[in-house]
Structures are given as C-alpha cells and as structure tokens.
Amino acid sequence: MRIPTLFIAALAALSVIFPAGTAAANAPADPRPRQDANGNPLRYAATGHVSNYDENKVGTYTLPDPLLFQDGRAVRDASDWTRRRAEIRALYESEIYGRVPATVPAVRFEVVATDPTALDGLATRQHLVGHFGPGPDGPKVNVVLYLPKPRATPAPLLVQLLFGPPPGLAPASPSPKEAKTTPPRTMPREHAPLADIVGRGYAYALLRYTEIEGDRAESHLTGVRRLALRPGQDKPAADEWGTIAAWSWGVSRITDYLLTNPALDTGRVAVIGHSRLGKTALWVGATDERFRVVFSSCSGEMGAALARRDYGESVDDMAANFPWQFAGNFQKYPGKWHTMPVDSHLLIALSAPRAVFVTGGTQDQWADPRGQFLALVAAGPVWKLLGRADLGAKEIPALDTPAINGDLGFLYHTGGHTILPADWQAFLDFTARAFNRTSATNP
Ligand code: GCU
C-alpha cells in the first residue's frame, strides 16, 4: 500500500513544479482533491503528510528556547544574546537557508538614467543597474530609486523585493522554466503608494528578485550562485546558499551601493517583501543589521510561521516543491520537523531589538497566519532581554486591527495572499515610529 501512496504523492508534488501542458502533467492525474471545502490548498507530501487546517489537529510541539544555548546554558544578558544570536544564525546558515560562500562575485553599479521630475516633481527617479561578476554575461539587476525632494536631511530608505519589474521598467519575459515555478505576477498590488512614501520623506528602492538569482531548480547554473561555484563544483555544497540566501545577499549588496549616496540615512533602512520575498526579508534582517525595520508580508512556512505547528504548508511541502530556495541540508527535515534546531521565532529574533512587522490574511491559511502571530509572541523574550517590549498580545488580534507594541507589529487582514493598502499604512506608521526611535547616523 505504501508504494502507490508514495507514487501519488510524488505526482502531486510534480504537479506544483510542472503545471498542465508539460510531459509530467500528462501522467495520470491524482484523483484526490487539491482544495478543501474552504478553498485552502491540499498537498499530499511524499512523507504521507496531508495539509491540515484544523486547529484541533495541530498537535503539540516544543519550541527551542531562544534564551537557552544549544548546550542548555541560560542566556542572561545582552552579551550572552550576542553569542546565542551567532549560534542561531550559524544553525540557520548550515541547516536552512545556507551560508554565502567566500567566492561570491563582486558587484559594480552604474546609473543609467536620472529623472529629476518624477512624481510631478516630488522625487528624483534613478534607474541603476548592478552587474554581478567580472564579465559582461553575469546577472544584471535593475534597481529603481525614488529620492524625495527637497531634503534638508538624509532620507530614510525603504528597499522592496518585487515579483515583477520595478515601476516604469518593461517586464522581462521569464524563461519557460522560470515561468513554471515563479508566480506570473507583475503585481501592481505589491507597489506601495509611492506618493505617500515619498511624501513622508522616504527614499524607495525597488528591484525584481529573479534578476539576482532565478527561482527554479537549476538556478544555481544561471544566477549569482553560478558565479560563486568553485572549480570542479557543479552546485552549492549542502550547507551553502539556496536562492533565498542569494536574494537576500543581493539586497545587501544593492544596499551597500545605495548607502554610498550621502542623500540617504544609513541608520534608517527598512526591507519589504511578500510571501517567498517575505521569507527573504526576514533573512535580510537576520544577516544585515543595517536594516532597522523588516516587513514580512504573508511569509508563511519557513518564513514567519512556526514550522512545528502543523497547519497549512509544511516543511515536507516546502522541501519537496521549492528545494532550491534552501540549503541542501534542509532536506534532512521532511517528516522530522521537531529535529530542526531552529524555528521561525528564532528567525524573527535574529532581528532583535530592531523592528519586525508581520502580516497574514484570512484567505491565506496556507501561510498559517496564527502560526506567524505565535512566532512573534515566542520571539518576545529576546526583545525583553534586550530591554524592549514584546508584542504584548497573547491572543491573535482582532481582524484588521494592527497589534503594535514597541518594535513588534502584527496585522491580520481580511483578505488573501497580498499586501493590502491598509497593511501599507500600518507598516508605514510602524516604520515612522521605529525610525523616530533611531537617531540618524549621518545627520
Ligand atoms: C507558494 C509557496 C509559499 C510561498 C508562495 C509565494 O505558495 O508554497 O511558501 O510563500 O508560493 O511566494 O507566493
């Protein structure tokens, strides 16, 4: 009985990677439902796991204690936390997202266009191109930067990873392979209210994530990870970077360049990403302390949602359907979530005591909104240890009502897998308060 089950589960996994029309999709269809009665995705993992949406079946779990070292010693103060933080980061690097190898390519930037009259004269718009690697054939990332005018002091900077091209740039058609795994979204809804952002005096930089590294199984042969392969190496080692780490590394390199501009405030920088890019934003916050604020929208499994909580997408689904987004070592954990040395509250805690804002949607149970909220709660003791406030709430807040306390914020919106206008407003207000608590570093 086991073999047919595995076979059907493998077909279900393949149907995510190879949608209708491909050879794999011509295999007999899995007769089991792909959605439950409420429209939530149902996935049948090779481990036998089936997506759960019943709070009564979530099961019990014990989270790793953020304030205990791996060897069981207590984390008592901020200097202990620095060491515990390094321990957690190293675990995330070796087991989950992968470490960035020393062989990373150099990046060089050029400004290809400047428009001083953007947004009816409110902003200067620059189109920058970052070239990875020494040769002309390396990946190129287009960045659009809006700089508010006039400015008496350096402008805080928001950096957003997008699924589609930044505003004003023609969509590059994805390769046929990429089109299979990358949601076909140009997503105008990802774009924040530009005039609002600039009106608040913020600079805003936008980039398309797949220009750093593709989002598919063989992307290690095409993007920045290809340039980092050592002679004789045909793919990253088991503890080396998957694409989430590559995208976040790229964001850091772009930010290096952006912050050479004296018009930008190096002490007030935020990163924004939705869904897989919400996972990426959390990893940016974890690895790059220049980011004072992290906005992780609907990031779900292996983002803000607790992996040990069996609800919505699971480790088994992620490891089977998106293996390239992670280190090879992540494949140790399907069916053995409780053996992961980390969970998402620790990922969030890597940004402490900086500010983290997380959203979830009622129509996005796949991303486990409650599991995201519970992770923020479970990360709270780290903020407290560092003399800051935790989220305060212990119960998931009322719908459409931001729960914000100090440096932590959560918003459960009525709606789906997206950033809604109200999310943007709550995030921008949250960010304004976080930036006000930070004194400018280059006034
Ligand atoms: C899939 C995947 C999620 C991911 C999402 C997205 O649904 O299962 O983990 O967050 O794609 O990036 O939109």
PDB file of all heavy atoms in Angstrom, residues 228-260:
ATOM      1  N   ALA A 228      29.575  31.896  -8.132  1.00  0.00           N
ATOM      2  CA  ALA A 228      30.313  31.581  -6.902  1.00  0.00           C
ATOM      3  C   ALA A 228      30.782  30.125  -6.855  1.00  0.00           C
ATOM      4  O   ALA A 228      31.462  29.727  -5.907  1.00  0.00           O
ATOM      5  CB  ALA A 228      29.430  31.875  -5.686  1.00  0.00           C
ATOM      6  N   LEU A 229      30.403  29.318  -7.866  1.00  0.00           N
ATOM      7  CA  LEU A 229      30.839  27.908  -7.836  1.00  0.00           C
ATOM      8  C   LEU A 229      32.356  27.845  -7.952  1.00  0.00           C
ATOM      9  O   LEU A 229      32.961  28.567  -8.757  1.00  0.00           O
ATOM     10  CB  LEU A 229      30.188  27.119  -8.983  1.00  0.00           C
ATOM     11  CG  LEU A 229      28.671  26.919  -8.884  1.00  0.00           C
ATOM     12  CD1 LEU A 229      28.129  26.281 -10.161  1.00  0.00           C
ATOM     13  CD2 LEU A 229      28.291  26.084  -7.659  1.00  0.00           C
ATOM     14  N   ARG A 230      32.966  26.993  -7.147  1.00  0.00           N
ATOM     15  CA  ARG A 230      34.418  26.831  -7.217  1.00  0.00           C
ATOM     16  C   ARG A 230      34.753  25.859  -8.347  1.00  0.00           C
ATOM     17  O   ARG A 230      33.887  25.078  -8.771  1.00  0.00           O
ATOM     18  CB  ARG A 230      34.947  26.307  -5.878  1.00  0.00           C
ATOM     19  CG  ARG A 230      34.792  27.316  -4.742  1.00  0.00           C
ATOM     20  CD  ARG A 230      35.298  26.777  -3.416  1.00  0.00           C
ATOM     21  NE  ARG A 230      34.449  25.715  -2.884  1.00  0.00           N
ATOM     22  CZ  ARG A 230      33.316  25.922  -2.227  1.00  0.00           C
ATOM     23  NH1 ARG A 230      32.864  27.153  -2.014  1.00  0.00           N
ATOM     24  NH2 ARG A 230      32.608  24.910  -1.768  1.00  0.00           N
ATOM     25  N   PRO A 231      36.009  25.903  -8.855  1.00  0.00           N
ATOM     26  CA  PRO A 231      36.359  24.970  -9.929  1.00  0.00           C
ATOM     27  C   PRO A 231      36.017  23.541  -9.514  1.00  0.00           C
ATOM     28  O   PRO A 231      36.313  23.133  -8.389  1.00  0.00           O
ATOM     29  CB  PRO A 231      37.873  25.163 -10.077  1.00  0.00           C
ATOM     30  CG  PRO A 231      38.138  26.532  -9.532  1.00  0.00           C
ATOM     31  CD  PRO A 231      37.122  26.767  -8.460  1.00  0.00           C
ATOM     32  N   GLY A 232      35.369  22.813 -10.386  1.00  0.00           N
ATOM     33  CA  GLY A 232      35.014  21.425 -10.092  1.00  0.00           C
ATOM     34  C   GLY A 232      33.703  21.278  -9.353  1.00  0.00           C
ATOM     35  O   GLY A 232      33.191  20.169  -9.194  1.00  0.00           O
ATOM     36  N   GLN A 233      33.121  22.389  -8.892  1.00  0.00           N
ATOM     37  CA  GLN A 233      31.861  22.326  -8.135  1.00  0.00           C
ATOM     38  C   GLN A 233      30.715  22.556  -9.120  1.00  0.00           C
ATOM     39  O   GLN A 233      30.743  23.523  -9.887  1.00  0.00           O
ATOM     40  CB  GLN A 233      31.875  23.443  -7.077  1.00  0.00           C
ATOM     41  CG  GLN A 233      30.876  23.277  -5.977  1.00  0.00           C
ATOM     42  CD  GLN A 233      30.877  24.470  -5.004  1.00  0.00           C
ATOM     43  OE1 GLN A 233      31.348  25.563  -5.306  1.00  0.00           O
ATOM     44  NE2 GLN A 233      30.311  24.243  -3.837  1.00  0.00           N
ATOM     45  N   ASP A 234      29.713  21.650  -9.138  1.00  0.00           N
ATOM     46  CA  ASP A 234      28.622  21.867 -10.094  1.00  0.00           C
ATOM     47  C   ASP A 234      27.344  22.372  -9.441  1.00  0.00           C
ATOM     48  O   ASP A 234      26.370  22.712 -10.102  1.00  0.00           O
ATOM     49  CB  ASP A 234      28.353  20.605 -10.931  1.00  0.00           C
ATOM     50  CG  ASP A 234      27.929  19.427 -10.073  1.00  0.00           C
ATOM     51  OD1 ASP A 234      27.893  19.590  -8.834  1.00  0.00           O
ATOM     52  OD2 ASP A 234      27.638  18.352 -10.625  1.00  0.00           O
ATOM     53  N   LYS A 235      27.333  22.411  -8.108  1.00  0.00           N
ATOM     54  CA  LYS A 235      26.192  23.006  -7.400  1.00  0.00           C
ATOM     55  C   LYS A 235      26.671  23.414  -6.011  1.00  0.00           C
ATOM     56  O   LYS A 235      27.717  22.894  -5.553  1.00  0.00           O
ATOM     57  CB  LYS A 235      25.020  22.040  -7.324  1.00  0.00           C
ATOM     58  CG  LYS A 235      25.313  20.749  -6.609  1.00  0.00           C
ATOM     59  CD  LYS A 235      24.018  19.966  -6.445  1.00  0.00           C
ATOM     60  CE  LYS A 235      24.237  18.890  -5.450  1.00  0.00           C
ATOM     61  NZ  LYS A 235      23.933  17.571  -5.712  1.00  0.00           N
ATOM     62  N   PRO A 236      25.947  24.287  -5.351  1.00  0.00           N
ATOM     63  CA  PRO A 236      26.374  24.681  -3.998  1.00  0.00           C
ATOM     64  C   PRO A 236      26.445  23.463  -3.076  1.00  0.00           C
ATOM     65  O   PRO A 236      25.674  22.509  -3.233  1.00  0.00           O
ATOM     66  CB  PRO A 236      25.274  25.650  -3.555  1.00  0.00           C
ATOM     67  CG  PRO A 236      24.646  26.153  -4.824  1.00  0.00           C
ATOM     68  CD  PRO A 236      24.749  25.011  -5.802  1.00  0.00           C
ATOM     69  N   ALA A 237      27.384  23.478  -2.128  1.00  0.00           N
ATOM     70  CA  ALA A 237      27.503  22.392  -1.143  1.00  0.00           C
ATOM     71  C   ALA A 237      26.250  22.355  -0.269  1.00  0.00           C
ATOM     72  O   ALA A 237      25.459  23.306  -0.254  1.00  0.00           O
ATOM     73  CB  ALA A 237      28.746  22.616  -0.283  1.00  0.00           C
ATOM     74  N   ALA A 238      26.077  21.263   0.474  1.00  0.00           N
ATOM     75  CA  ALA A 238      24.833  21.055   1.246  1.00  0.00           C
ATOM     76  C   ALA A 238      24.579  22.146   2.277  1.00  0.00           C
ATOM     77  O   ALA A 238      23.434  22.371   2.676  1.00  0.00           O
ATOM     78  CB  ALA A 238      24.880  19.696   1.932  1.00  0.00           C
ATOM     79  N   ASP A 239      25.639  22.823   2.732  1.00  0.00           N
ATOM     80  CA  ASP A 239      25.428  23.899   3.709  1.00  0.00           C
ATOM     81  C   ASP A 239      25.550  25.272   3.052  1.00  0.00           C
ATOM     82  O   ASP A 239      25.610  26.282   3.741  1.00  0.00           O
ATOM     83  CB  ASP A 239      26.413  23.774   4.876  1.00  0.00           C
ATOM     84  CG  ASP A 239      27.844  24.031   4.452  1.00  0.00           C
ATOM     85  OD1 ASP A 239      28.141  23.984   3.226  1.00  0.00           O
ATOM     86  OD2 ASP A 239      28.683  24.304   5.332  1.00  0.00           O
ATOM     87  N   GLU A 240      25.606  25.296   1.727  1.00  0.00           N
ATOM     88  CA  GLU A 240      25.719  26.599   1.052  1.00  0.00           C
ATOM     89  C   GLU A 240      24.372  27.092   0.552  1.00  0.00           C
ATOM     90  O   GLU A 240      23.393  26.339   0.486  1.00  0.00           O
ATOM     91  CB  GLU A 240      26.708  26.506  -0.111  1.00  0.00           C
ATOM     92  CG  GLU A 240      28.149  26.478   0.378  1.00  0.00           C
ATOM     93  CD  GLU A 240      29.159  26.375  -0.745  1.00  0.00           C
ATOM     94  OE1 GLU A 240      28.791  26.013  -1.893  1.00  0.00           O
ATOM     95  OE2 GLU A 240      30.338  26.646  -0.489  1.00  0.00           O
ATOM     96  N   TRP A 241      24.365  28.303   0.119  1.00  0.00           N
ATOM     97  CA  TRP A 241      23.140  29.067  -0.125  1.00  0.00           C
ATOM     98  C   TRP A 241      22.160  28.468  -1.120  1.00  0.00           C
ATOM     99  O   TRP A 241      22.526  28.012  -2.183  1.00  0.00           O
ATOM    100  CB  TRP A 241      23.459  30.488  -0.515  1.00  0.00           C
ATOM    101  CG  TRP A 241      24.424  30.717  -1.645  1.00  0.00           C
ATOM    102  CD1 TRP A 241      25.169  29.787  -2.325  1.00  0.00           C
ATOM    103  CD2 TRP A 241      24.768  31.980  -2.193  1.00  0.00           C
ATOM    104  NE1 TRP A 241      25.938  30.403  -3.260  1.00  0.00           N
ATOM    105  CE2 TRP A 241      25.725  31.744  -3.208  1.00  0.00           C
ATOM    106  CE3 TRP A 241      24.382  33.304  -1.936  1.00  0.00           C
ATOM    107  CZ2 TRP A 241      26.283  32.779  -3.970  1.00  0.00           C
ATOM    108  CZ3 TRP A 241      24.934  34.326  -2.682  1.00  0.00           C
ATOM    109  CH2 TRP A 241      25.874  34.049  -3.684  1.00  0.00           C
ATOM    110  N   GLY A 242      20.894  28.518  -0.718  1.00  0.00           N
ATOM    111  CA  GLY A 242      19.789  28.349  -1.648  1.00  0.00           C
ATOM    112  C   GLY A 242      19.410  29.736  -2.165  1.00  0.00           C
ATOM    113  O   GLY A 242      20.077  30.735  -1.861  1.00  0.00           O
ATOM    114  N   THR A 243      18.316  29.794  -2.911  1.00  0.00           N
ATOM    115  CA  THR A 243      18.011  31.080  -3.551  1.00  0.00           C
ATOM    116  C   THR A 243      17.572  32.160  -2.556  1.00  0.00           C
ATOM    117  O   THR A 243      17.838  33.341  -2.792  1.00  0.00           O
ATOM    118  CB  THR A 243      16.930  30.910  -4.632  1.00  0.00           C
ATOM    119  OG1 THR A 243      15.755  30.348  -4.043  1.00  0.00           O
ATOM    120  CG2 THR A 243      17.407  30.008  -5.758  1.00  0.00           C
ATOM    121  N   ILE A 244      16.918  31.786  -1.463  1.00  0.00           N
ATOM    122  CA  ILE A 244      16.510  32.837  -0.502  1.00  0.00           C
ATOM    123  C   ILE A 244      17.752  33.554   0.020  1.00  0.00           C
ATOM    124  O   ILE A 244      17.787  34.786   0.111  1.00  0.00           O
ATOM    125  CB  ILE A 244      15.671  32.218   0.647  1.00  0.00           C
ATOM    126  CG1 ILE A 244      14.295  31.815   0.101  1.00  0.00           C
ATOM    127  CG2 ILE A 244      15.539  33.192   1.822  1.00  0.00           C
ATOM    128  CD1 ILE A 244      13.384  31.110   1.105  1.00  0.00           C
ATOM    129  N   ALA A 245      18.799  32.790   0.331  1.00  0.00           N
ATOM    130  CA  ALA A 245      20.041  33.422   0.802  1.00  0.00           C
ATOM    131  C   ALA A 245      20.687  34.234  -0.316  1.00  0.00           C
ATOM    132  O   ALA A 245      21.279  35.292  -0.054  1.00  0.00           O
ATOM    133  CB  ALA A 245      21.003  32.364   1.324  1.00  0.00           C
ATOM    134  N   ALA A 246      20.563  33.763  -1.559  1.00  0.00           N
ATOM    135  CA  ALA A 246      21.144  34.519  -2.680  1.00  0.00           C
ATOM    136  C   ALA A 246      20.398  35.842  -2.871  1.00  0.00           C
ATOM    137  O   ALA A 246      21.006  36.894  -3.071  1.00  0.00           O
ATOM    138  CB  ALA A 246      21.103  33.688  -3.955  1.00  0.00           C
ATOM    139  N   TRP A 247      19.058  35.780  -2.797  1.00  0.00           N
ATOM    140  CA  TRP A 247      18.292  37.025  -2.970  1.00  0.00           C
ATOM    141  C   TRP A 247      18.634  38.009  -1.845  1.00  0.00           C
ATOM    142  O   TRP A 247      18.801  39.199  -2.096  1.00  0.00           O
ATOM    143  CB  TRP A 247      16.786  36.736  -2.975  1.00  0.00           C
ATOM    144  CG  TRP A 247      16.354  35.798  -4.073  1.00  0.00           C
ATOM    145  CD1 TRP A 247      16.880  35.707  -5.342  1.00  0.00           C
ATOM    146  CD2 TRP A 247      15.325  34.786  -4.007  1.00  0.00           C
ATOM    147  NE1 TRP A 247      16.247  34.721  -6.044  1.00  0.00           N
ATOM    148  CE2 TRP A 247      15.279  34.138  -5.272  1.00  0.00           C
ATOM    149  CE3 TRP A 247      14.429  34.388  -3.019  1.00  0.00           C
ATOM    150  CZ2 TRP A 247      14.383  33.108  -5.555  1.00  0.00           C
ATOM    151  CZ3 TRP A 247      13.528  33.370  -3.303  1.00  0.00           C
ATOM    152  CH2 TRP A 247      13.501  32.738  -4.551  1.00  0.00           C
ATOM    153  N   SER A 248      18.735  37.501  -0.622  1.00  0.00           N
ATOM    154  CA  SER A 248      18.989  38.440   0.475  1.00  0.00           C
ATOM    155  C   SER A 248      20.416  38.981   0.402  1.00  0.00           C
ATOM    156  O   SER A 248      20.654  40.160   0.681  1.00  0.00           O
ATOM    157  CB  SER A 248      18.659  37.828   1.833  1.00  0.00           C
ATOM    158  OG  SER A 248      19.500  36.788   2.114  1.00  0.00           O
ATOM    159  N   TRP A 249      21.357  38.143  -0.044  1.00  0.00           N
ATOM    160  CA  TRP A 249      22.723  38.648  -0.247  1.00  0.00           C
ATOM    161  C   TRP A 249      22.699  39.774  -1.290  1.00  0.00           C
ATOM    162  O   TRP A 249      23.339  40.825  -1.119  1.00  0.00           O
ATOM    163  CB  TRP A 249      23.631  37.498  -0.692  1.00  0.00           C
ATOM    164  CG  TRP A 249      25.009  37.925  -1.065  1.00  0.00           C
ATOM    165  CD1 TRP A 249      26.067  38.160  -0.228  1.00  0.00           C
ATOM    166  CD2 TRP A 249      25.485  38.203  -2.399  1.00  0.00           C
ATOM    167  NE1 TRP A 249      27.162  38.566  -0.963  1.00  0.00           N
ATOM    168  CE2 TRP A 249      26.830  38.605  -2.285  1.00  0.00           C
ATOM    169  CE3 TRP A 249      24.885  38.161  -3.663  1.00  0.00           C
ATOM    170  CZ2 TRP A 249      27.609  38.946  -3.396  1.00  0.00           C
ATOM    171  CZ3 TRP A 249      25.654  38.509  -4.776  1.00  0.00           C
ATOM    172  CH2 TRP A 249      26.997  38.893  -4.631  1.00  0.00           C
ATOM    173  N   GLY A 250      21.946  39.575  -2.365  1.00  0.00           N
ATOM    174  CA  GLY A 250      21.857  40.595  -3.409  1.00  0.00           C
ATOM    175  C   GLY A 250      21.290  41.909  -2.860  1.00  0.00           C
ATOM    176  O   GLY A 250      21.781  42.994  -3.183  1.00  0.00           O
ATOM    177  N   VAL A 251      20.275  41.808  -1.996  1.00  0.00           N
ATOM    178  CA  VAL A 251      19.694  43.019  -1.397  1.00  0.00           C
ATOM    179  C   VAL A 251      20.757  43.766  -0.587  1.00  0.00           C
ATOM    180  O   VAL A 251      20.865  44.999  -0.632  1.00  0.00           O
ATOM    181  CB  VAL A 251      18.483  42.646  -0.513  1.00  0.00           C
ATOM    182  CG1 VAL A 251      18.065  43.809   0.379  1.00  0.00           C
ATOM    183  CG2 VAL A 251      17.320  42.200  -1.388  1.00  0.00           C
ATOM    184  N   SER A 252      21.569  43.001   0.135  1.00  0.00           N
ATOM    185  CA  SER A 252      22.624  43.648   0.932  1.00  0.00           C
ATOM    186  C   SER A 252      23.638  44.357   0.037  1.00  0.00           C
ATOM    187  O   SER A 252      24.106  45.450   0.355  1.00  0.00           O
ATOM    188  CB  SER A 252      23.337  42.621   1.821  1.00  0.00           C
ATOM    189  OG  SER A 252      22.473  42.219   2.866  1.00  0.00           O
ATOM    190  N   ARG A 253      23.982  43.721  -1.099  1.00  0.00           N
ATOM    191  CA  ARG A 253      24.974  44.353  -1.988  1.00  0.00           C
ATOM    192  C   ARG A 253      24.385  45.618  -2.635  1.00  0.00           C
ATOM    193  O   ARG A 253      25.076  46.615  -2.807  1.00  0.00           O
ATOM    194  CB  ARG A 253      25.448  43.360  -3.066  1.00  0.00           C
ATOM    195  CG  ARG A 253      26.100  42.083  -2.547  1.00  0.00           C
ATOM    196  CD  ARG A 253      27.425  42.321  -1.784  1.00  0.00           C
ATOM    197  NE  ARG A 253      27.300  42.982  -0.507  1.00  0.00           N
ATOM    198  CZ  ARG A 253      26.925  42.404   0.632  1.00  0.00           C
ATOM    199  NH1 ARG A 253      26.629  41.131   0.673  1.00  0.00           N
ATOM    200  NH2 ARG A 253      26.864  43.105   1.760  1.00  0.00           N
ATOM    201  N   ILE A 254      23.109  45.553  -2.999  1.00  0.00           N
ATOM    202  CA  ILE A 254      22.462  46.741  -3.571  1.00  0.00           C
ATOM    203  C   ILE A 254      22.449  47.859  -2.524  1.00  0.00           C
ATOM    204  O   ILE A 254      22.722  49.020  -2.817  1.00  0.00           O
ATOM    205  CB  ILE A 254      21.031  46.376  -4.038  1.00  0.00           C
ATOM    206  CG1 ILE A 254      21.122  45.452  -5.257  1.00  0.00           C
ATOM    207  CG2 ILE A 254      20.219  47.621  -4.327  1.00  0.00           C
ATOM    208  CD1 ILE A 254      19.833  44.708  -5.584  1.00  0.00           C
ATOM    209  N   THR A 255      22.176  47.457  -1.279  1.00  0.00           N
ATOM    210  CA  THR A 255      22.114  48.454  -0.202  1.00  0.00           C
ATOM    211  C   THR A 255      23.500  49.051   0.053  1.00  0.00           C
ATOM    212  O   THR A 255      23.615  50.256   0.336  1.00  0.00           O
ATOM    213  CB  THR A 255      21.513  47.795   1.050  1.00  0.00           C
ATOM    214  OG1 THR A 255      20.241  47.246   0.682  1.00  0.00           O
ATOM    215  CG2 THR A 255      21.331  48.787   2.181  1.00  0.00           C
ATOM    216  N   ASP A 256      24.555  48.231  -0.053  1.00  0.00           N
ATOM    217  CA  ASP A 256      25.921  48.789   0.061  1.00  0.00           C
ATOM    218  C   ASP A 256      26.060  49.979  -0.880  1.00  0.00           C
ATOM    219  O   ASP A 256      26.559  51.033  -0.510  1.00  0.00           O
ATOM    220  CB  ASP A 256      27.000  47.779  -0.411  1.00  0.00           C
ATOM    221  CG  ASP A 256      27.140  46.558   0.466  1.00  0.00           C
ATOM    222  OD1 ASP A 256      26.645  46.575   1.604  1.00  0.00           O
ATOM    223  OD2 ASP A 256      27.765  45.569  -0.013  1.00  0.00           O
ATOM    224  N   TYR A 257      25.639  49.737  -2.114  1.00  0.00           N
ATOM    225  CA  TYR A 257      25.817  50.794  -3.119  1.00  0.00           C
ATOM    226  C   TYR A 257      24.906  51.986  -2.816  1.00  0.00           C
ATOM    227  O   TYR A 257      25.344  53.135  -2.818  1.00  0.00           O
ATOM    228  CB  TYR A 257      25.541  50.257  -4.528  1.00  0.00           C
ATOM    229  CG  TYR A 257      25.642  51.359  -5.550  1.00  0.00           C
ATOM    230  CD1 TYR A 257      26.892  51.849  -5.941  1.00  0.00           C
ATOM    231  CD2 TYR A 257      24.497  51.969  -6.055  1.00  0.00           C
ATOM    232  CE1 TYR A 257      26.984  52.911  -6.844  1.00  0.00           C
ATOM    233  CE2 TYR A 257      24.586  53.024  -6.957  1.00  0.00           C
ATOM    234  CZ  TYR A 257      25.830  53.485  -7.346  1.00  0.00           C
ATOM    235  OH  TYR A 257      25.920  54.541  -8.218  1.00  0.00           O
ATOM    236  N   LEU A 258      23.644  51.697  -2.551  1.00  0.00           N
ATOM    237  CA  LEU A 258      22.699  52.803  -2.320  1.00  0.00           C
ATOM    238  C   LEU A 258      23.186  53.704  -1.194  1.00  0.00           C
ATOM    239  O   LEU A 258      23.101  54.929  -1.272  1.00  0.00           O
ATOM    240  CB  LEU A 258      21.306  52.255  -1.982  1.00  0.00           C
ATOM    241  CG  LEU A 258      20.571  51.520  -3.114  1.00  0.00           C
ATOM    242  CD1 LEU A 258      19.278  50.901  -2.582  1.00  0.00           C
ATOM    243  CD2 LEU A 258      20.260  52.477  -4.266  1.00  0.00           C
ATOM    244  N   LEU A 259      23.726  53.091  -0.133  1.00  0.00           N
ATOM    245  CA  LEU A 259      24.099  53.879   1.042  1.00  0.00           C
ATOM    246  C   LEU A 259      25.406  54.658   0.843  1.00  0.00           C
ATOM    247  O   LEU A 259      25.813  55.409   1.725  1.00  0.00           O
ATOM    248  CB  LEU A 259      24.164  52.989   2.293  1.00  0.00           C
ATOM    249  CG  LEU A 259      22.805  52.431   2.758  1.00  0.00           C
ATOM    250  CD1 LEU A 259      22.962  51.595   4.020  1.00  0.00           C
ATOM    251  CD2 LEU A 259      21.782  53.550   2.992  1.00  0.00           C
ATOM    252  N   THR A 260      26.049  54.499  -0.308  1.00  0.00           N
ATOM    253  CA  THR A 260      27.186  55.397  -0.590  1.00  0.00           C
ATOM    254  C   THR A 260      26.653  56.786  -0.979  1.00  0.00           C
ATOM    255  O   THR A 260      27.407  57.734  -1.046  1.00  0.00           O
ATOM    256  CB  THR A 260      28.066  54.859  -1.744  1.00  0.00           C
ATOM    257  OG1 THR A 260      27.261  54.753  -2.934  1.00  0.00           O
ATOM    258  CG2 THR A 260      28.692  53.512  -1.403  1.00  0.00           C
TER     259      THR A 260
END
